[in-house]
Amino acid sequence: MVNTVWLKEQRTKHMDWRLEGSTQKVESPVLQGEAGILEETGEDGLPEGFQLLQIDAEGECQEGETLATGSTAWCSKNVQRKQRHWEKIVAAKKSKRKQEKERRKANRAENPGICPQHSKRFLRALTKEKLLEAKHSGPRLCIDLSMTHHMSKKELSRLAGQIRRLYGSNKKADRPFWICLTGFTIDSPLYEECVRMNDGFSSYLLDIKEEDCFSLFPLETLVYLTPDSEHALEDVDLNKVYILGGLVDESIQKKVTFQKAWEYSVKTARLPIQEYMVRKQNGKNYHSEILAINQVFDILSTYLETRNWPEALKKGVTSGKGYILRNSVE
């Protein structure tokens, strides 16, 4: 019995020894790798790879803290210099606004009878109110844009510029017209040119109609302004709708707008240039009564405010047209 127990113990020890040997053979490469890693550890006992990851993570955290708290601890000198420069600019602007505010306050205290300067927001609101009021009760002006199909790109650009200047003058007028662009489609080359050249054209306070002016208003209320008419315009009637031909033609085709008005049996009129102005001698012997639509509008708008044709014509007829007021000759 004793021998049998002893043999079993020896056999068990022999099997344990074989298992330990095989384990050492399998795990030896891993242990060697771990030993190689441990050899590359730093002073704090961490491998260098983990130390680099730790540094990067700390850098990101501190950079995030810099953005959140405004600290410049992790900013380069160039960034810090730009930051200081920007802070100086902001501080200078604040100081300038404060000084301007104090100056206006002092001016109001010294001159209590003078009205304070209105803000741009107030002026825009006032302009919008005047234009919307003109839509219901003011004079009406149509720009006939149904003749632009044969115009060149250059002529369309010039016409778009004239529309911009006309609208700008109307906004500044004390008694603005309500403007309607007729025969005008949003897919036309002229519309694209107006959007390209005029900032905020799509938000202009005016009407854009695809129909022509002859189908939008009663024919008896229409007055087509054309330099080829035999009748001089005597007054601006608020019950009439005045039409300007939106035509820029470098070839100077005559009586285009007059012929169109005649086809619809619409009254025509011309500006009273011949009645209040005379031709002036010039080297080119050039005299013309053909004006851009914004120049015609300036004349109508000035007359509506002053009821004075000489003053109105002086506003719109430039010296390059070869005409001067009769009083200037005398």
Side-chain angles (χ1 to χ4, degrees):
M1 293 294 292
V2 175
N3 292 333
T4 304
V5 172
W6 181 84
L7 288 173
K8 288 182 178 180
E9 290 177 355
Q10 292 297 326
R11 190 179 299 171
T12 303
K13 290 180 179 179
H14 181 70
M15 293 177 66
D16 293 338
W17 176 81
R18 292 180 62 184
L19 289 172
E20 288 177 0
S22 61
T23 304
Q24 290 176 357
K25 290 180 181 179
V26 174
E27 294 179 354
S28 59
V30 178
L31 294 174
Q32 290 177 1
E34 291 179 352
I37 295 175
L38 292 174
E39 289 177 358
E40 297 177 356
T41 57
E43 296 178 355
D44 54 357
L46 293 174
E48 291 185 358
F50 285 98
Q51 288 179 349
L52 293 175
L53 291 174
Q54 186 179 11
I55 291 172
D56 292 341
E58 290 176 357
E60 291 178 356
C61 294
Q62 294 187 14
E63 190 174 8
E65 293 174 2
T66 300
L67 295 175
T69 60
S71 173
T72 58
W74 280 85
C75 295
S76 65
K77 291 183 178 180
N78 188 31
V79 173
Q80 294 179 19
R81 179 179 58 81
K82 291 182 178 180
Q83 181 68 21
R84 288 194 298 268
H85 179 67
W86 174 250
E87 290 175 355
K88 288 180 181 180
I89 293 176
V90 173
K93 288 183 177 180
K94 289 182 179 180
S95 177
K96 186 177 180 181
R97 286 196 297 267
K98 184 177 180 181
Q99 293 176 2
E100 183 66 19
K101 186 177 180 180
E102 293 176 353
R103 185 185 64 81
R104 290 196 299 265
K105 185 177 180 181
N107 288 339
R108 287 195 297 268
E110 294 176 0
N111 305 295
I114 299 178
C115 297
Q117 185 178 2
H118 296 299
S119 64
K120 292 183 179 180
R121 180 181 298 180
F122 175 82
L123 294 176
R124 285 196 296 267
L126 183 61
T127 300
K128 181 178 181 179
E129 182 181 350
K130 290 193 301 181
L131 290 174
L132 293 177
E133 183 180 353
K135 182 176 183 179
H136 302 288
S137 59
R140 289 169 293 178
L141 182 72
C142 281
I143 311 298
D144 183 9
L145 300 175
S146 61
M147 299 171 288
T148 60
H149 55 279
H150 68 281
M151 292 169 57
S152 65
K153 180 69 178 297
K154 180 181 178 181
E155 293 169 342
L156 291 175
S157 298
R158 290 178 57 188
L159 181 57
Q162 293 177 16
I163 293 174
R164 181 186 69 247
R165 289 188 287 271
L166 186 153
Y167 183 75
S169 297
N170 193 45
K171 286 173 59 179
K172 298 176 183 178
D174 293 334
R175 298 185 62 186
F177 283 72
W178 181 250
I179 300 173
C180 183
L181 306 180
T182 62
F184 195 33
T185 57
I186 60 176
D187 58 348
S188 63
L190 177 60
Y191 186 89
E192 295 178 359
E193 197 67 15
C194 287
V195 172
R196 185 185 69 85
M197 294 184 60
N198 308 338
D199 293 336
F201 177 78
S202 57
S203 61
Y204 277 10
L205 291 177
L206 45 75
D207 283 333
I208 295 179
K209 301 293 185 180
E210 295 185 5
E211 301 85 358
D212 60 22
C213 52
F214 305 106
S215 60
L216 289 173
F217 303 98
L219 297 180
E220 62 273 12
T221 63
L222 299 179
V223 178
Y224 211 119
L225 298 179
T226 170
D228 300 309
S229 177
E230 298 179 355
H231 308 286
L233 183 64
E234 298 179 358
D235 195 8
V236 176
D237 190 350
L238 299 182
N239 296 320
K240 298 292 185 179
V241 180
Y242 295 93
I243 307 172
L244 301 182
L247 181 63
V248 176
D249 187 7
E250 295 183 350
S251 62
I252 313 297
Q253 298 183 24
K254 295 184 178 181
K255 296 188 176 183
V256 175
T257 54
F258 178 81
Q259 183 68 25
K260 190 172 185 179
W262 181 80
E263 291 175 358
Y264 287 91
S265 301
V266 170
K267 294 180 180 179
T268 61
R270 58 174 174 80
L271 295 175
I273 296 177
Q274 301 174 10
E275 284 71 19
Y276 294 94
M277 308 187 80
V278 295
R279 293 187 176 186
K280 180 183 178 181
Q281 296 295 330
N282 54 62
K284 297 181 180 181
N285 195 25
Y286 175 77
H287 306 88
S288 175
E289 298 182 27
I290 301 176
L291 305 176
I293 59 173
N294 59 293
Q295 293 174 325
V296 178
F297 175 80
D298 288 341
I299 294 173
L300 295 176
S301 179
T302 303
Y303 177 79
L304 188 63
E305 296 177 4
T306 64
R307 295 293 175 177
N308 187 308
W309 277 119
E311 185 175 348
L313 292 170
K314 185 178 179 181
K315 181 76 173 180
V317 182
T318 61
S319 58
K321 294 297 180 180
Y323 284 89
I324 59 174
L325 292 173
R326 292 183 182 274
N327 296 337
S328 302
V329 178
E330 298 175 358

Short mmCIF file of all heavy atoms in Angstrom, two decimals, residues 217-256:
data_model
loop_
_atom_site.label_atom_id
_atom_site.label_comp_id
_atom_site.label_asym_id
_atom_site.label_seq_id
_atom_site.Cartn_x
_atom_site.Cartn_y
_atom_site.Cartn_z
N PHE A 217 -53.49 98.98 -66.66
CA PHE A 217 -54.18 100.20 -66.26
C PHE A 217 -55.15 100.63 -67.36
O PHE A 217 -54.95 100.30 -68.55
CB PHE A 217 -53.17 101.33 -66.01
CG PHE A 217 -52.12 100.99 -64.99
CD1 PHE A 217 -50.86 100.54 -65.38
CD2 PHE A 217 -52.39 101.11 -63.63
CE1 PHE A 217 -49.89 100.22 -64.45
CE2 PHE A 217 -51.42 100.80 -62.68
CZ PHE A 217 -50.17 100.35 -63.09
N PRO A 218 -56.18 101.36 -66.99
CA PRO A 218 -57.08 101.91 -68.01
C PRO A 218 -56.31 102.81 -68.98
O PRO A 218 -55.47 103.62 -68.55
CB PRO A 218 -58.11 102.70 -67.20
CG PRO A 218 -58.06 102.10 -65.83
CD PRO A 218 -56.65 101.68 -65.62
N LEU A 219 -56.56 102.67 -70.24
CA LEU A 219 -55.80 103.41 -71.25
C LEU A 219 -55.96 104.92 -71.11
O LEU A 219 -55.03 105.68 -71.41
CB LEU A 219 -56.23 102.97 -72.65
CG LEU A 219 -55.96 101.50 -73.02
CD1 LEU A 219 -56.43 101.21 -74.44
CD2 LEU A 219 -54.48 101.17 -72.87
N GLU A 220 -57.11 105.36 -70.62
CA GLU A 220 -57.32 106.81 -70.49
C GLU A 220 -56.50 107.43 -69.37
O GLU A 220 -56.36 108.67 -69.31
CB GLU A 220 -58.81 107.12 -70.27
CG GLU A 220 -59.41 106.53 -69.00
CD GLU A 220 -59.93 105.12 -69.22
OE1 GLU A 220 -59.63 104.52 -70.27
OE2 GLU A 220 -60.66 104.64 -68.33
N THR A 221 -55.94 106.60 -68.48
CA THR A 221 -55.12 107.14 -67.39
C THR A 221 -53.63 107.15 -67.73
O THR A 221 -52.82 107.67 -66.95
CB THR A 221 -55.31 106.30 -66.11
OG1 THR A 221 -54.84 104.96 -66.34
CG2 THR A 221 -56.77 106.26 -65.71
N LEU A 222 -53.27 106.62 -68.89
CA LEU A 222 -51.86 106.48 -69.23
C LEU A 222 -51.36 107.69 -70.00
O LEU A 222 -52.06 108.25 -70.86
CB LEU A 222 -51.63 105.22 -70.07
CG LEU A 222 -52.01 103.89 -69.42
CD1 LEU A 222 -51.76 102.74 -70.39
CD2 LEU A 222 -51.21 103.68 -68.13
N VAL A 223 -50.11 108.08 -69.70
CA VAL A 223 -49.40 109.13 -70.44
C VAL A 223 -47.99 108.60 -70.70
O VAL A 223 -47.21 108.41 -69.78
CB VAL A 223 -49.34 110.45 -69.67
CG1 VAL A 223 -48.54 111.49 -70.47
CG2 VAL A 223 -50.73 110.97 -69.36
N TYR A 224 -47.71 108.36 -71.98
CA TYR A 224 -46.39 107.82 -72.35
C TYR A 224 -45.45 109.00 -72.62
O TYR A 224 -45.68 109.80 -73.52
CB TYR A 224 -46.50 106.95 -73.60
CG TYR A 224 -45.50 105.82 -73.64
CD1 TYR A 224 -45.91 104.49 -73.68
CD2 TYR A 224 -44.13 106.09 -73.67
CE1 TYR A 224 -45.00 103.45 -73.71
CE2 TYR A 224 -43.22 105.06 -73.70
CZ TYR A 224 -43.65 103.74 -73.72
OH TYR A 224 -42.73 102.71 -73.75
N LEU A 225 -44.37 109.09 -71.83
CA LEU A 225 -43.41 110.18 -72.00
C LEU A 225 -42.37 109.77 -73.04
O LEU A 225 -41.62 108.80 -72.86
CB LEU A 225 -42.73 110.49 -70.67
CG LEU A 225 -43.65 110.98 -69.55
CD1 LEU A 225 -42.87 111.24 -68.27
CD2 LEU A 225 -44.41 112.23 -69.97
N THR A 226 -42.34 110.51 -74.14
CA THR A 226 -41.42 110.21 -75.23
C THR A 226 -40.94 111.52 -75.84
O THR A 226 -41.74 112.47 -75.99
CB THR A 226 -42.11 109.34 -76.30
OG1 THR A 226 -41.27 109.28 -77.45
CG2 THR A 226 -43.47 109.87 -76.67
N PRO A 227 -39.67 111.62 -76.20
CA PRO A 227 -39.18 112.88 -76.79
C PRO A 227 -39.74 113.16 -78.18
O PRO A 227 -39.57 114.28 -78.68
CB PRO A 227 -37.65 112.64 -76.85
CG PRO A 227 -37.49 111.16 -76.86
CD PRO A 227 -38.61 110.62 -76.03
N ASP A 228 -40.42 112.19 -78.78
CA ASP A 228 -40.97 112.39 -80.12
C ASP A 228 -42.39 112.93 -80.11
O ASP A 228 -42.99 113.14 -81.17
CB ASP A 228 -40.96 111.06 -80.88
CG ASP A 228 -39.55 110.49 -81.03
OD1 ASP A 228 -38.66 111.24 -81.48
OD2 ASP A 228 -39.34 109.31 -80.67
N SER A 229 -42.95 113.17 -78.92
CA SER A 229 -44.31 113.68 -78.83
C SER A 229 -44.38 115.16 -79.22
O SER A 229 -43.41 115.92 -79.03
CB SER A 229 -44.86 113.48 -77.42
OG SER A 229 -46.15 114.04 -77.30
N GLU A 230 -45.52 115.58 -79.73
CA GLU A 230 -45.72 116.99 -80.07
C GLU A 230 -46.22 117.80 -78.88
O GLU A 230 -46.20 119.04 -78.93
CB GLU A 230 -46.73 117.11 -81.22
CG GLU A 230 -46.27 116.43 -82.51
CD GLU A 230 -47.31 116.54 -83.61
OE1 GLU A 230 -48.42 117.06 -83.31
OE2 GLU A 230 -47.03 116.11 -84.74
N HIS A 231 -46.67 117.14 -77.82
CA HIS A 231 -47.27 117.83 -76.69
C HIS A 231 -46.29 117.89 -75.51
O HIS A 231 -45.73 116.87 -75.10
CB HIS A 231 -48.55 117.12 -76.24
CG HIS A 231 -49.52 116.89 -77.37
ND1 HIS A 231 -50.29 117.89 -77.93
CD2 HIS A 231 -49.84 115.74 -78.06
CE1 HIS A 231 -51.04 117.40 -78.90
NE2 HIS A 231 -50.79 116.10 -78.99
N ALA A 232 -46.08 119.08 -74.99
CA ALA A 232 -45.19 119.27 -73.84
C ALA A 232 -45.96 118.96 -72.56
O ALA A 232 -47.15 119.29 -72.42
CB ALA A 232 -44.65 120.70 -73.82
N LEU A 233 -45.30 118.34 -71.64
CA LEU A 233 -45.91 118.03 -70.35
C LEU A 233 -46.02 119.31 -69.53
O LEU A 233 -45.03 120.01 -69.28
CB LEU A 233 -45.05 117.01 -69.60
CG LEU A 233 -45.60 116.52 -68.25
CD1 LEU A 233 -46.91 115.75 -68.45
CD2 LEU A 233 -44.57 115.63 -67.55
N GLU A 234 -47.25 119.65 -69.13
CA GLU A 234 -47.48 120.89 -68.40
C GLU A 234 -47.50 120.69 -66.90
O GLU A 234 -47.08 121.59 -66.16
CB GLU A 234 -48.81 121.53 -68.87
CG GLU A 234 -48.82 121.91 -70.35
CD GLU A 234 -50.15 122.50 -70.76
OE1 GLU A 234 -51.06 122.58 -69.90
OE2 GLU A 234 -50.30 122.87 -71.95
N ASP A 235 -47.98 119.53 -66.44
CA ASP A 235 -48.10 119.31 -65.01
C ASP A 235 -48.04 117.80 -64.74
O ASP A 235 -48.23 116.99 -65.64
CB ASP A 235 -49.44 119.89 -64.49
CG ASP A 235 -49.47 120.01 -62.98
OD1 ASP A 235 -48.42 119.79 -62.34
OD2 ASP A 235 -50.55 120.28 -62.42
N VAL A 236 -47.80 117.46 -63.48
CA VAL A 236 -47.80 116.06 -63.05
C VAL A 236 -49.11 115.81 -62.31
O VAL A 236 -49.35 116.35 -61.23
CB VAL A 236 -46.60 115.75 -62.15
CG1 VAL A 236 -46.69 114.31 -61.63
CG2 VAL A 236 -45.30 115.95 -62.91
N ASP A 237 -49.96 115.02 -62.92
CA ASP A 237 -51.28 114.73 -62.40
C ASP A 237 -51.24 113.43 -61.59
O ASP A 237 -50.81 112.38 -62.10
CB ASP A 237 -52.29 114.60 -63.55
CG ASP A 237 -53.73 114.54 -63.06
OD1 ASP A 237 -53.96 114.40 -61.84
OD2 ASP A 237 -54.64 114.60 -63.93
N LEU A 238 -51.68 113.48 -60.34
CA LEU A 238 -51.65 112.30 -59.48
C LEU A 238 -52.63 111.23 -59.94
O LEU A 238 -52.50 110.07 -59.53
CB LEU A 238 -51.95 112.69 -58.03
CG LEU A 238 -50.98 113.68 -57.37
CD1 LEU A 238 -51.40 113.93 -55.93
CD2 LEU A 238 -49.55 113.15 -57.43
N ASN A 239 -53.58 111.59 -60.76
CA ASN A 239 -54.55 110.62 -61.26
C ASN A 239 -54.07 109.92 -62.53
O ASN A 239 -54.78 109.05 -63.05
CB ASN A 239 -55.89 111.31 -61.53
CG ASN A 239 -56.51 111.87 -60.26
OD1 ASN A 239 -56.46 111.24 -59.20
ND2 ASN A 239 -57.09 113.06 -60.35
N LYS A 240 -52.93 110.29 -63.05
CA LYS A 240 -52.38 109.70 -64.26
C LYS A 240 -51.27 108.71 -63.92
O LYS A 240 -50.65 108.77 -62.85
CB LYS A 240 -51.83 110.78 -65.19
CG LYS A 240 -52.88 111.79 -65.68
CD LYS A 240 -53.89 111.13 -66.62
CE LYS A 240 -54.86 112.17 -67.18
NZ LYS A 240 -55.85 111.57 -68.11
N VAL A 241 -51.05 107.80 -64.84
CA VAL A 241 -49.94 106.84 -64.73
C VAL A 241 -48.96 107.17 -65.85
O VAL A 241 -49.27 107.05 -67.02
CB VAL A 241 -50.43 105.38 -64.87
CG1 VAL A 241 -49.26 104.42 -64.75
CG2 VAL A 241 -51.48 105.08 -63.81
N TYR A 242 -47.76 107.62 -65.46
CA TYR A 242 -46.76 108.03 -66.45
C TYR A 242 -45.85 106.86 -66.79
O TYR A 242 -45.43 106.09 -65.92
CB TYR A 242 -45.96 109.21 -65.91
CG TYR A 242 -46.81 110.44 -65.72
CD1 TYR A 242 -47.42 110.71 -64.50
CD2 TYR A 242 -47.04 111.32 -66.78
CE1 TYR A 242 -48.23 111.83 -64.33
CE2 TYR A 242 -47.84 112.44 -66.62
CZ TYR A 242 -48.44 112.69 -65.40
OH TYR A 242 -49.25 113.79 -65.23
N ILE A 243 -45.56 106.73 -68.08
CA ILE A 243 -44.79 105.60 -68.58
C ILE A 243 -43.47 106.10 -69.14
O ILE A 243 -43.43 107.06 -69.92
CB ILE A 243 -45.56 104.84 -69.67
CG1 ILE A 243 -46.96 104.44 -69.17
CG2 ILE A 243 -44.79 103.61 -70.12
CD1 ILE A 243 -47.84 103.87 -70.26
N LEU A 244 -42.39 105.42 -68.75
CA LEU A 244 -41.07 105.67 -69.33
C LEU A 244 -40.65 104.43 -70.09
O LEU A 244 -40.76 103.31 -69.58
CB LEU A 244 -40.05 105.99 -68.24
CG LEU A 244 -40.33 107.20 -67.34
CD1 LEU A 244 -39.20 107.39 -66.34
CD2 LEU A 244 -40.52 108.46 -68.17
N GLY A 245 -40.16 104.62 -71.28
CA GLY A 245 -39.70 103.49 -72.07
C GLY A 245 -38.34 103.01 -71.58
O GLY A 245 -37.35 103.76 -71.66
N GLY A 246 -38.28 101.79 -71.07
CA GLY A 246 -37.01 101.22 -70.63
C GLY A 246 -36.22 100.73 -71.81
O GLY A 246 -36.19 99.53 -72.12
N LEU A 247 -35.57 101.66 -72.47
CA LEU A 247 -34.89 101.34 -73.72
C LEU A 247 -33.54 102.04 -73.75
O LEU A 247 -33.46 103.27 -73.64
CB LEU A 247 -35.75 101.77 -74.91
CG LEU A 247 -35.19 101.50 -76.30
CD1 LEU A 247 -35.04 100.01 -76.54
CD2 LEU A 247 -36.09 102.12 -77.37
N VAL A 248 -32.49 101.27 -73.86
CA VAL A 248 -31.14 101.81 -74.09
C VAL A 248 -30.71 101.30 -75.45
O VAL A 248 -30.45 100.12 -75.63
CB VAL A 248 -30.15 101.36 -73.00
CG1 VAL A 248 -28.74 101.87 -73.33
CG2 VAL A 248 -30.59 101.86 -71.64
N ASP A 249 -30.67 102.20 -76.41
CA ASP A 249 -30.41 101.82 -77.80
C ASP A 249 -29.29 102.70 -78.33
O ASP A 249 -29.48 103.89 -78.59
CB ASP A 249 -31.67 101.98 -78.64
CG ASP A 249 -31.49 101.43 -80.06
OD1 ASP A 249 -30.44 100.82 -80.31
OD2 ASP A 249 -32.40 101.61 -80.88
N GLU A 250 -28.10 102.12 -78.47
CA GLU A 250 -26.97 102.90 -78.96
C GLU A 250 -27.10 103.24 -80.45
O GLU A 250 -26.44 104.14 -80.94
CB GLU A 250 -25.67 102.12 -78.71
CG GLU A 250 -25.36 101.95 -77.23
CD GLU A 250 -24.04 101.23 -77.00
OE1 GLU A 250 -23.49 100.71 -78.00
OE2 GLU A 250 -23.58 101.20 -75.86
N SER A 251 -27.96 102.52 -81.15
CA SER A 251 -28.17 102.84 -82.56
C SER A 251 -29.17 103.97 -82.74
O SER A 251 -29.39 104.44 -83.86
CB SER A 251 -28.67 101.60 -83.32
OG SER A 251 -29.92 101.16 -82.79
N ILE A 252 -29.80 104.41 -81.64
CA ILE A 252 -30.74 105.55 -81.65
C ILE A 252 -31.85 105.33 -82.68
O ILE A 252 -31.97 106.03 -83.70
CB ILE A 252 -30.02 106.90 -81.91
CG1 ILE A 252 -28.79 107.02 -81.03
CG2 ILE A 252 -30.96 108.04 -81.66
CD1 ILE A 252 -29.09 107.05 -79.55
N GLN A 253 -32.66 104.31 -82.44
CA GLN A 253 -33.82 104.11 -83.29
C GLN A 253 -34.90 105.12 -82.88
O GLN A 253 -35.28 105.20 -81.72
CB GLN A 253 -34.35 102.68 -83.13
CG GLN A 253 -33.37 101.61 -83.55
CD GLN A 253 -33.95 100.23 -83.45
OE1 GLN A 253 -35.16 100.05 -83.49
NE2 GLN A 253 -33.10 99.23 -83.31
N LYS A 254 -35.37 105.87 -83.82
CA LYS A 254 -36.31 106.96 -83.54
C LYS A 254 -37.74 106.46 -83.46
O LYS A 254 -38.12 105.51 -84.15
CB LYS A 254 -36.19 108.04 -84.61
CG LYS A 254 -34.84 108.74 -84.61
CD LYS A 254 -34.81 109.87 -85.64
CE LYS A 254 -33.46 110.60 -85.61
NZ LYS A 254 -33.42 111.73 -86.58
N LYS A 255 -38.49 107.12 -82.61
CA LYS A 255 -39.94 106.96 -82.48
C LYS A 255 -40.36 105.54 -82.12
O LYS A 255 -41.46 105.10 -82.48
CB LYS A 255 -40.65 107.39 -83.78
CG LYS A 255 -40.48 108.87 -84.08
CD LYS A 255 -41.35 109.30 -85.26
CE LYS A 255 -41.23 110.80 -85.48
NZ LYS A 255 -42.11 111.26 -86.58
N VAL A 256 -39.52 104.80 -81.40
CA VAL A 256 -39.89 103.44 -80.99
C VAL A 256 -40.99 103.50 -79.94
O VAL A 256 -42.04 102.84 -80.05
CB VAL A 256 -38.66 102.68 -80.46
CG1 VAL A 256 -39.08 101.32 -79.93
CG2 VAL A 256 -37.61 102.53 -81.56
#
